[in-house]
Amino acid sequence: MDLKILEIASHTENKKALSNPTHSSKNKNPICGDEMEISLIVKKDIIEDMAYHCKSCVYCQASVSLLSRTIKHKNIQEFKDFFHTAEGMFKDNKLNLKNNWKEFSEIFDKKHMARKECLLLPLRTVLKALQ
């Protein structure tokens, strides 16, 4: 087990409920059964806040924890661009993330290829909520 994954997953300050979310979604990983529920507050195409609840492995928890801290105050299109880049990071570690998403390079890596679907589930759930 990668200790960095455990450290990132331990930040649970956004594992909460939002009182008036503007967007929300539930998603399930059909491969392993991880479940994710995400709520967002979006104003003028800016993601102001994010909350989550999950029943999932530590890889999924690390990804959603990092996402919940990084996504705040980002434009919806900026998140969508990041999502498309993130999918490619498991194939090519040399892809450059913009500064505000760089922390993901520690977990979205070829060495975690077997956990790709777990790591991408939170991003897919946010994308689903924004549709």
Side-chain angles (χ1 to χ4, degrees):
M1 172 65 59
D2 187 336
L3 291 178
K4 188 64 177 172
I5 294 285
L6 290 171
E7 190 274 323
I8 293 169
S10 72
H11 295 278
T12 59
E13 60 270 12
N14 292 310
K15 189 175 185 179
K16 61 185 181 182
L18 294 176
S19 57
N20 293 309
T22 58
H23 298 73
S24 62
S25 181
K26 292 180 182 180
N27 214 348
K28 186 173 183 175
N29 182 341
I31 296 170
C32 67
D34 286 348
E35 295 179 4
M36 179 71 45
E37 182 176 352
I38 289 179
S39 301
L40 303 167
I41 294 177
V42 178
K43 295 180 183 174
K44 297 182 181 179
D45 288 337
I46 302 295
I47 301 164
E48 296 293 330
D49 201 2
M50 178 182 150
Y52 67 90
H53 289 282
C54 58
K55 293 179 185 174
S56 62
C57 69
V58 71
Y59 289 89
C60 191
Q61 291 172 31
S63 181
V64 74
S65 173
L66 186 54
L67 180 63
S68 71
R69 290 180 279 135
T70 308
I71 200 170
K72 293 178 184 179
H73 310 294
K74 302 287 190 297
N75 179 284
I76 290 172
Q77 188 58 51
E78 187 178 355
F79 167 75
K80 288 179 179 179
D81 292 345
F82 164 66
F83 174 77
H84 295 295
T85 301
E87 285 187 309
M89 290 186 71
F90 293 93
K91 296 175 189 160
D92 183 1
N93 288 354
K94 294 179 179 129
L95 289 176
N96 288 326
L97 290 175
K98 294 185 179 177
N99 285 339
N100 42 7
W101 301 103
K102 277 210 183 290
E103 287 182 78
F104 281 92
S105 62
E106 294 182 45
I107 61 173
F108 287 17
D109 188 287
K110 284 182 184 180
K111 68 182 177 186
H112 298 129
M113 182 61 128
R115 304 314 290 258
K116 176 182 175 182
E117 296 305 316
C118 301
L119 289 162
L120 289 175
L121 182 64
L123 280 71
R124 289 187 173 129
T125 307
V126 167
L127 194 62
K128 184 178 173 185
L130 294 172
Q131 300 298 327

